[in-house]
């Protein structure tokens, strides 16, 4: 990585620290300190290879040989990114989300550009915007929305932007960037990333609109696009919370909500050249809508509940990981399930309804006991398993002769004694109950 450090002129460091010298921002992008930070982040994010097949592990070796030439291309304004690789991932609510995966080298350059721009732009963004910003989180967005509801703003204008990342107008976006960036080399580079094209099934298609999800620069550009919406909502004095393309505006009556939906919808369509998804947008009570996986209760303090969709997706995910046809042992099944539960608990444990977590925790344990009963398979093995786990022989014999199915038995005293929470915990199954 010695070549990446480079020997940039003294002005480069000043450029990275001084927003005033906006005509030499590419030197800040190419500075050794900025590139080392970008490489570390790309390595931490991991991710798959792009169209050239280069992996994240191969990137440092490649840079050691090629960085001087790449740096020169960036400084001369001649760097040309490669097309992104199309990847489709299923959406939790159905359908697929199309991602565009840049090459690891392009991810490094995008990350370096993003770091410099974000350092200058972020402080100018609205305090009501929370997505893809340093020091801000989805939990903060949910808490802010909850506060609006608790303050008596008991109607929400829930606006969903249809295929936002695919519909961003390049010319409007670049005009917004040009208001903040005077370095023409950097402007050409950002335009080149937008127009790099998409490779799908071996064919490259041009991209004349949208910011492909999957690159480090896309979230920052999306915030820049929607900053215009934030400013308009601020100008109108609305109480709102925005996380990426999820925007909730809180008002005090249904009539006001409908008026806001119409006027803001017109602004989004006519001014931003984006489209509101009428089927997914609505004026409703906060407890009738979800925001970032949560909904708010009807009591005056509007407590955070898990959205019904969140609970449904949780159960679907657990069922998929504990399916009877997986052919895995119980221990092998619990490994990935445990990792999923820890990640889920880290985010959704932010709810203020411990009984919901307790119910789901009990359901997961019951699911594991059901799978264990199925895997024990034969009456003889089931008897042996129950007795070896402390169940009296007579009770074990009665249990294996019962006509009840595995799911009903998973709730029985016998299975709870044979596989108590302590045994499941020893197998690696974490709890998601409120602590």
């Amino acid at each position: 990585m010695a070549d990446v450090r480079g020997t940039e002129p003294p002005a480069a460091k000043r450029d990275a620290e001084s927003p005033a010298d906006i005509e030499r921002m590419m030197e800040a992008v190419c500075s050794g300190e900025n590139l080392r930070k970008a490489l570390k982040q790309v390595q931490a994010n991991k991710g798959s290879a792009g169209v050239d097949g280069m992996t994240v592990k191969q990137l440092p070796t490649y840079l050691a040989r090629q960085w001087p030439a790449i740096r020169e291309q960036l400084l001369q304004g001649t760097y040309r990114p490669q097309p992104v690789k199309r990847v489709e991932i299923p959406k939790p609510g159905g359908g697929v989300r199309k991602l565009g995966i840049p090459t690891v080298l392009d991810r490094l350059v995008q990350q370096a550009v993003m770091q410099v721009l974000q350092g200058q732009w972020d402080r100018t963004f609205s305090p009501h915007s929370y997505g893809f910003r340093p020091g801000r989180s989805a939990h903060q967005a949910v808490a802010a929305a909850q506060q609006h509801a608790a303050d008596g703003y008991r109607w929400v204008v829930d606006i969903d932007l249809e295929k936002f990342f695919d519909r961003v107008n390049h010319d409007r976006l670049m005009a917004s960037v040009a208001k903040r960036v005077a370095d023409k080399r950097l402007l050409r580079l950002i335009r080149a990333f937008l127009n790099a094209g998409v490779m799908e099934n071996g064919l490259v298609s041009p991209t004349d609109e949208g910011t492909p999800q999957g690159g480090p620069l896309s979230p920052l550009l999306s915030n820049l696009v929607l900053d215009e919406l934030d400013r308009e909502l601020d100008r109108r004095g609305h109480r709102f919370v925005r996380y990426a393309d999820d925007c909730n505006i809180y008002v005090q009556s249904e009539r006001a909500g409908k008026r806001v939906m119409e006027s803001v919808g017109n602004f989004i369509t006519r001014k931003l050249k984006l489209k509101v998804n009428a089927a997914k947008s609505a004026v409703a009570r906060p407890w009738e809508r979800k925001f970032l996986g949560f909904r708010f209760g009807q009591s005056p303090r509007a407590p955070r509940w898990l959205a019904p969709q969140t609970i449904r997706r949780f159960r679907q995910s657990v069922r998929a990981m504990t399916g009877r046809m997986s052919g895995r042992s119980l221990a092998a099944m619990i490994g990935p399930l445990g990792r999923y539960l820890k990640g889920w608990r880290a985010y959704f444990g932010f709810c203020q309804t411990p009984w919901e977590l307790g119910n789901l925790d009990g359901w997961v344990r019951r699911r594991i006991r059901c799978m264990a009963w199925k895997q024990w398979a034969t009456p003889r093995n089931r008897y042996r398993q129950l007795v070896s786990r402390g169940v009296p022989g007579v009770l074990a014999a009665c249990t294996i002769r019962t006509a009840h199915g595995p799911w009903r038995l998973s709730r029985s005293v016998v299975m709870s004694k044979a596989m108590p929470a302590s045994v499941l915990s020893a197998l690696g199954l974490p709890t998601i109950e409120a602590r």
Side-chain angles (χ1 to χ4, degrees):
M1 194 56 195
D3 290 318
V4 171
R5 284 193 280 268
T7 55
E8 61 276 359
K13 185 175 181 180
R14 292 198 301 273
D15 290 339
E17 298 174 347
S18 175
D21 195 359
I22 57 176
E23 293 188 1
R24 293 178 58 81
M25 293 178 70
M26 190 62 82
E27 279 73 13
V29 170
C30 295
S31 71
E33 180 181 355
N34 189 53
L35 262 295
R36 285 192 294 274
K37 181 181 176 182
L39 178 61
K40 185 177 181 181
Q41 188 61 52
V42 169
Q43 290 174 319
N45 291 341
K46 299 179 181 179
S48 59
V51 296
D52 63 354
M54 186 190 302
T55 65
V56 172
K57 289 184 178 180
Q58 295 171 324
L59 182 58
T61 302
Y62 179 82
L63 290 173
R65 298 192 310 267
Q66 302 296 330
W67 173 245
I70 296 168
R71 184 175 186 272
E72 186 64 22
Q73 291 174 20
L74 291 169
L75 294 177
Q76 294 298 321
T78 59
Y79 182 88
R80 291 294 176 267
Q82 297 189 63
V84 298
K85 182 171 69 174
R86 174 68 75 213
V87 175
E88 295 183 350
I89 61 173
K91 289 183 178 181
V96 296
R97 176 176 287 111
K98 293 185 177 182
L99 302 183
I101 308 300
T103 66
V104 290
L105 176 60
D106 286 340
R107 293 211 292 272
L108 174 73
V109 176
Q110 284 196 34
Q111 179 69 29
V113 171
M114 186 276 292
Q115 289 168 181
V116 171
L117 296 183
Q118 188 172 63
Q120 297 188 9
W121 295 359
D122 189 74
R123 61 180 174 271
T124 71
F125 290 154
S126 169
H128 308 297
S129 164
Y130 292 87
F132 310 124
R133 297 183 61 188
R136 289 175 166 256
S137 68
H139 283 173
Q140 291 175 336
V142 172
Q146 178 187 16
Q147 188 61 54
H148 292 323
D151 287 343
Y153 292 77
R154 310 288 276 181
W155 288 88
V156 60
V157 181
D158 187 356
I159 297 177
D160 183 271
L161 298 179
E162 185 173 306
K163 298 182 178 179
F164 166 69
F165 287 93
D166 297 330
R167 295 184 182 274
V168 172
N169 182 279
H170 286 180
D171 291 335
R172 283 190 53 81
L173 171 56
M174 289 307 303
S176 297
V177 174
K179 291 178 182 178
R180 297 168 178 252
V181 175
D183 191 325
K184 296 188 183 305
R185 299 165 299 175
L186 188 51
L187 291 173
R188 284 197 297 270
L189 179 62
I190 295 173
R191 172 72 81 166
F193 277 123
L194 293 174
N195 296 338
V198 176
M199 179 174 286
E200 191 170 12
N201 299 322
L203 298 176
V204 177
S205 303
T207 49
D208 52 11
E209 66 176 358
T211 58
Q213 297 182 73
L217 191 55
S218 182
L220 179 62
L221 295 179
S222 71
N223 269 337
L224 180 62
V225 171
L226 293 176
D227 183 58
E228 194 169 351
L229 172 62
D230 297 341
R231 291 175 184 272
E232 179 66 15
L233 296 178
D234 276 327
R235 187 186 67 80
R236 299 183 185 188
H238 288 310
R239 289 194 174 217
F240 73 97
V241 178
R242 184 178 65 78
Y243 190 94
D245 56 338
D246 287 331
C247 184
N248 278 6
I249 307 169
Y250 290 85
V251 296
Q252 293 181 305
S253 70
E254 183 179 17
R255 182 179 178 183
K258 290 180 177 179
R259 185 172 63 249
V260 169
M261 175 67 82
E262 182 179 1
S263 61
V264 173
N266 288 336
F267 176 84
I268 291 172
T269 302
R270 296 174 183 175
K271 186 71 173 177
L272 301 185
K273 307 301 181 185
L274 297 171
K275 186 176 181 181
V276 175
N277 188 330
K280 294 184 178 181
S281 301
V283 176
R285 296 290 196 175
W287 49 87
E288 296 172 342
R289 305 294 291 180
K290 69 177 179 69
F291 182 57
L292 302 178
F294 297 91
R295 65 184 178 94
F296 304 120
Q298 300 183 40
S299 64
R301 68 185 186 93
R304 299 184 295 269
W305 289 57
L306 298 176
Q309 299 92 324
T310 296
I311 296 174
R312 184 168 60 251
R313 290 168 189 168
F314 174 85
R315 291 178 182 269
Q316 289 172 347
S317 297
V318 172
R319 287 191 185 101
M321 286 184 278
T322 58
R324 183 178 183 181
M325 304 305 293
S326 65
R328 294 177 295 171
S329 67
L330 210 59
M333 189 181 294
I334 287 178
L337 175 61
R339 291 189 291 272
Y340 170 78
L341 294 178
K342 287 179 181 178
W344 190 93
R345 176 66 174 79
Y347 181 77
F348 288 107
F350 189 59
C351 73
Q352 295 173 316
T353 48
W355 60 90
E356 289 188 299
L357 298 178
N359 289 341
L360 290 176
D361 198 64
W363 179 82
V364 171
R365 290 196 297 269
R366 188 178 174 190
R367 178 81 183 174
I368 295 299
R369 291 174 184 135
C370 178
M371 291 301 104
W373 184 261
K374 290 179 179 179
Q375 288 187 0
W376 293 344
T378 64
R380 177 176 294 181
N381 188 40
R382 286 170 174 169
Y383 178 83
R384 184 169 61 250
Q385 290 285 350
L386 292 175
V387 171
S388 69
R389 295 166 187 268
V391 177
V394 174
L395 186 56
C398 292
T399 302
I400 65 173
R401 288 195 294 266
T402 183
H404 298 321
W407 182 242
R408 183 165 178 177
L409 281 173
S410 67
R411 193 174 55 181
S412 68
V413 175
V414 171
M415 286 301 292
S416 294
K417 181 175 179 61
M419 300 191 72
S422 58
V423 169
L424 297 180
S425 178
L427 287 173
L429 186 73
T431 180
I432 60 172
E433 283 189 289
R435 298 180 180 88

